[in-house]
Amino acid sequence: MNQFINQLPKAELHLHIEGTLEPDFLLEKAKKHLITLPFHSINEIQQAYNFSNLQSFLDIYYQGMAVLRDETDFHDLAWRYFQKAHAQGVLHADIFFDPQAHIERGLTLDTVSDGLCNAVEKAKKEMRLSVFLIPCFLRHLSEDSALDTFAMCLKFKKVITGFGLDSSEVGNPPSKFQKVFSQARQEGFRITAHAGEEGPPSFIEQSLDLLHAERIDHGVRCLEDEKLTNRLVREKIPLTVCPLSNLKLKVVNNLQEHPFKKMLACGIMASINSDDPAYFGGYIADNFEACGTALSLTKAETILAARNSFMGSFLDANTKAAYLQKLESYCDEHLN
Ligand code: ADE
Ligand code: ZN
């Protein structure tokens, strides 16, 4: 691992905590809860992580999270991720979780929230890592289900920063979720949405116009529409790009074809993130490194990606400025 990239101060803006479920952790928790898995070894699990598209991944991802059953499981999962993120230069993380996927299995939101919040508090105290929690609505489910989930989440308002939209994009346009995002905005939550991963550029537009998303998760298909590209630049809409995810889910054929460098060249506020690192072969610095090598990113482009990560975060203006100052000092120290 390139030391400069690894320690470069950065924010992670696109990370599903359930997507950090590593094979050894999956086996450990299955054993603890006496759950029979279709796999018997780390090797077998790794071989199953061979995806043809987003849905083929989601099927395994929802299956895997069945081993998360109590507060300790959620704490342990998040704590493991925070340690990895800290070791790869992450100073702040806006992280996603999928409440519906846990409620559907009979868990309470208290179990999920208490486990995650304990780990967040510990990360703040022991590593000075700041973390914001963002529940996502599953777009393959109905808007009524999202509305019920939103009502349940209100009890946890103090520990929730915003809401997101994830899961199977094709066939589930943002327009399906206007009501629930309108309620979320009225309650003062920040808004983000997965769009333009497999879905068309019009889903990015819908996320901005109908859901009033402040940032877009993935958005890799935006360059197909010049007018939209110009709008993203003009309105400084952050895109949370996940190169290794796009490669593993065959959104791009190879990393050399990834549009990240073009996005920066156009002036889009794009950052580099890890999405579901346990499934896609790397955490945030691995994404920086793989993308940097494949696209021959310059030092200036790499630093811009880190800068965009703080700019696009849901942190307040003063904290953003303090983190950007840290980034600048790091670069002064290591490049001069
Ligand atoms: N849930 C977890 N990872 C996702 C992704 N890459 N796209 C949509 N939903 C997801
Ligand atoms: Zn995602």
Side-chain angles (χ1 to χ4, degrees):
M1 167 74 66
N2 176 314
Q3 193 64 12
F4 174 78
I5 286 178
N6 197 50
Q7 286 309 303
L8 183 70
K10 50 181 94 64
E12 171 114 82
L13 307 182
H14 188 155
L15 181 283
H16 303 262
I17 200 64
E18 298 90 344
T20 67
L21 216 159
E22 293 283 349
D24 64 324
F25 187 87
L26 182 74
L27 292 174
E28 178 194 316
K29 294 295 180 184
K31 193 168 164 198
K32 170 185 164 189
H33 295 297
L34 307 175
I35 294 171
T36 310
L37 295 173
F39 321 108
H40 303 96
S41 67
I42 290 179
N43 213 6
E44 272 183 44
I45 297 172
Q46 280 164 344
Q47 286 187 358
Y49 292 177
N50 201 359
F51 312 113
S52 50
N53 55 23
L54 173 59
Q55 193 58 52
S56 65
F57 154 69
L58 289 172
D59 293 342
I60 290 211
Y61 164 84
Y62 293 125
Q63 231 177 56
M65 58 178 89
V67 301
L68 302 169
R69 299 226 49 91
D70 60 31
E71 190 183 315
T72 308
D73 300 335
F74 284 94
H75 166 276
D76 296 350
L77 181 73
W79 180 242
R80 268 182 164 228
Y81 164 67
F82 296 150
Q83 287 173 299
K84 289 213 176 79
H86 178 64
Q88 294 202 350
V90 174
L91 303 184
H92 171 78
D94 286 347
I95 67 166
F96 298 133
F97 67 103
D98 288 330
Q100 286 153 297
H102 307 304
I103 295 165
E104 266 189 339
R105 302 186 286 114
L107 271 58
T108 66
L109 255 188
D110 289 271
T111 300
V112 181
S113 170
D114 291 351
L116 295 180
C117 287
N118 287 341
V120 169
E121 281 307 310
K122 194 158 124 190
K124 199 193 292 177
K125 228 184 274 160
E126 294 187 17
M127 303 184 300
R128 300 188 66 203
L129 173 68
S130 68
V131 180
F132 290 168
L133 296 177
I134 304 179
C136 286
F137 302 118
L138 298 181
R139 68 202 306 159
H140 67 274
L141 300 179
S142 67
E143 186 174 48
D144 281 345
S145 169
L147 285 162
D148 290 346
T149 309
F150 177 67
M152 278 187 231
C153 284
L154 284 177
K155 180 177 157 196
F156 305 94
K157 191 168 179 184
K158 273 212 288 233
V159 296
I160 291 173
T161 300
F163 283 86
L165 181 67
D166 67 359
S167 195
S168 323
E169 188 180 10
V170 174
N172 294 297
S175 57
K176 185 174 154 187
F177 296 95
Q178 281 186 74
K179 223 188 290 171
V180 73
F181 278 97
S182 160
Q183 288 190 10
R185 276 196 319 127
Q186 272 167 27
E187 291 286 342
F189 290 108
R190 313 295 299 266
I191 305 293
T192 182
H194 282 56
E197 179 184 17
E198 284 187 347
S202 64
F203 281 18
I204 299 175
E205 257 168 352
Q206 279 191 22
S207 301
L208 299 174
D209 295 332
L210 305 181
L211 308 185
H212 300 279
E214 300 165 64
R215 75 180 182 222
I216 298 293
D217 299 309
H218 292 297
V220 279
R221 291 191 55 193
C222 71
L223 299 183
E224 292 172 28
D225 183 332
E226 197 183 335
K227 221 171 116 204
L228 173 64
T229 301
N230 293 337
R231 176 181 180 186
L232 295 173
V233 173
R234 198 173 55 246
E235 297 182 13
K236 299 187 173 59
I237 307 289
L239 297 192
T240 66
V241 179
C242 309
L244 288 174
S245 164
N246 298 150
L247 180 67
K248 272 291 216 176
L249 301 187
K250 304 202 171 5
V251 168
V252 293
N253 294 320
N254 55 62
L255 276 186
Q256 286 75 20
E257 274 177 30
H258 197 284
F260 185 76
K261 195 178 173 95
K262 282 195 200 109
M263 289 170 155
L264 289 186
C266 291
I268 289 176
M269 196 194 287
S271 58
I272 294 177
N273 305 272
S274 55
D275 206 8
D276 303 286
Y279 294 90
F280 301 149
Y283 286 76
I284 191 165
D286 306 298
N287 272 273
F288 266 80
E289 191 159 76
C291 188
T293 304
L295 299 175
S296 306
L297 293 185
T298 62
K299 277 250 157 74
E301 287 168 326
T302 302
I303 295 163
L304 179 57
R307 190 178 166 76
N308 289 345
S309 71
F310 290 117
M311 293 295 291
S313 73
F314 286 156
L315 290 162
D316 64 64
N318 287 340
T319 315
K320 266 186 201 180
Y323 281 135
L324 288 168
Q325 186 57 52
K326 276 195 183 179
L327 173 62
E328 210 166 296
S329 306
Y330 176 87
C331 293
D332 284 349
E333 206 177 299
H334 290 82
L335 296 179
N336 298 322

